Amino acid sequence: MNTISGCFGIIPARYESSRFPGKPLADICGKPMFWHVWNKASKCPEMAQVVLATDSSIIMDAAEKLGVPAIMTADTHTSGTDRVLEAARKLNIPKDSVVVNIQGDEPCLAPEMLSELVSPFTDKNVRVTTLASPISAKEALSPDRVKVALAKDNRALYFSRSPIPFSHDGKGEYLLHIGLYGFRMEALETFASLPGSPLEQRERLEQLRLLDNGISIHVTVTGHSCHGVDRPEDLDTAIKILEREQI
């Protein structure tokens, strides 16, 4: 077993969003959403550094005023992973270090989740990690809830918007995929260099590009929950959770 040589958290924060324009700047308890994500991620002891990666001068200015480290990236990226890679290259992150893609719409993120995410990297053979948490059969029916099926060694066998694995008797556990990723820098660069795969395009899940090309994803099952902000109406839930934490 090896120790982790270094972990760098990068939060992609795109201004444009079809469902929620300007989402990273949404006010939550007096601070923009991106600040809450950065604040939570910075409390993870494994993170050597946490930075914001944005394509917006408005977000960049807001980050500077709040003392949040930020990097300006191109506005042509088609995915948050591509934005993370550009930022990682600008930071000159070593190839054996771990880059963590932290979703910018998770203001209620528990720092412990990031510790769980990077823990498998003590094994030098692990190249990519992510998280999952148990959900009910009813929740698994929603195509917005991405499910993952695991092998015995916790490698991802498949991700799908359909309920997987199928259950003949209606019993069994479903695992919700949580969209946090850890990459060794070399694996992140490899991922970005690969063409989109048929499975990825069919499910609209970019992580399938890795499985399609024989790159394993190690999944840690967490007891923590995510409360992402996809739409404006999700803000109320995030505000209530953070208000309770401040009591």
Side-chain angles (χ1 to χ4, degrees), residues 40 106-111 113 116 131-135 139 145 176 178 180 222-228 241 245:
K40 289 294 188 74
E106 292 286 352
C108 304
L109 173 74
M113 293 173 73
E116 292 174 329
L131 297 178
S133 63
I135 57 171
E139 289 177 294
R145 313 278 277 178
L176 171 72
I178 297 173
L180 295 165
T222 179
H224 294 280
S225 301
C226 272
H227 301 277
I241 291 171
E245 291 179 0

Side-chain angles (χ1 to χ4, degrees), residues 112-131:
E112 294 80 7
M113 293 173 73
L114 299 181
S115 295
E116 292 174 329
L117 179 70
V118 302
S119 62
F121 288 109
T122 53
D123 182 343
K124 64 181 177 60
N125 295 312
V126 171
R127 300 175 68 195
V128 185
T129 66
T130 193
L131 297 178

Side-chain angles (χ1 to χ4, degrees), residues 1 13 68 82 98 160 187 222-223:
M1 300 291 284
V68 175
D82 292 330
V98 173
S160 181
T222 179

Side-chain angles (χ1 to χ4, degrees), residues 14 30 59 64 81 89 92-93 96 107 109 121 123 134 138 147 162 195 216:
R14 184 172 67 100
I59 294 174
E64 289 177 353
T81 306
R89 284 171 170 164
N92 294 314
I93 292 176
D96 62 342
L109 173 74
F121 288 109
D123 182 343
K138 183 178 180 180
K147 280 68 65 175
S162 297
S216 295

Side-chain angles (χ1 to χ4, degrees), residues 45-199:
E46 287 81 8
M47 293 295 117
Q49 186 178 13
V50 181
V51 302
L52 198 70
T54 186
D55 61 352
S56 165
S57 59
I58 300 173
I59 294 174
M60 192 77 176
D61 290 344
E64 289 177 353
K65 289 177 182 177
L66 290 168
V68 175
I71 293 174
M72 182 66 78
T73 56
D75 62 2
T76 54
H77 294 307
T78 57
S79 73
T81 306
D82 292 330
R83 193 175 310 285
V84 166
L85 176 58
E86 182 186 350
R89 284 171 170 164
K90 287 186 173 180
L91 289 169
N92 294 314
I93 292 176
K95 288 190 180 296
D96 62 342
S97 293
V98 173
V99 180
V100 179
N101 182 347
I102 303 168
Q103 299 300 317
D105 56 5
E106 292 286 352
C108 304
L109 173 74
E112 294 80 7
M113 293 173 73
L114 299 181
S115 295
E116 292 174 329
L117 179 70
V118 302
S119 62
F121 288 109
T122 53
D123 182 343
K124 64 181 177 60
N125 295 312
V126 171
R127 300 175 68 195
V128 185
T129 66
T130 193
L131 297 178
S133 63
I135 57 171
S136 68
K138 183 178 180 180
E139 289 177 294
L141 293 173
S142 170
D144 291 332
R145 313 278 277 178
V146 177
K147 280 68 65 175
V148 58
L150 304 184
K152 288 182 179 180
D153 61 0
N154 275 28
R155 285 180 302 107
L157 293 173
Y158 193 64
F159 296 86
S160 181
R161 297 185 182 280
S162 297
I164 56 169
F166 175 78
S167 176
H168 284 282
D169 58 7
K171 299 178 181 179
E173 182 179 79
Y174 291 93
L175 290 173
L176 171 72
H177 175 230
I178 297 173
L180 295 165
Y181 294 95
F183 295 88
R184 293 201 192 274
M185 183 62 185
E186 57 81 18
L188 178 59
E189 291 184 315
T190 298
F191 174 63
S193 71
L194 294 169
S197 75
L199 288 176

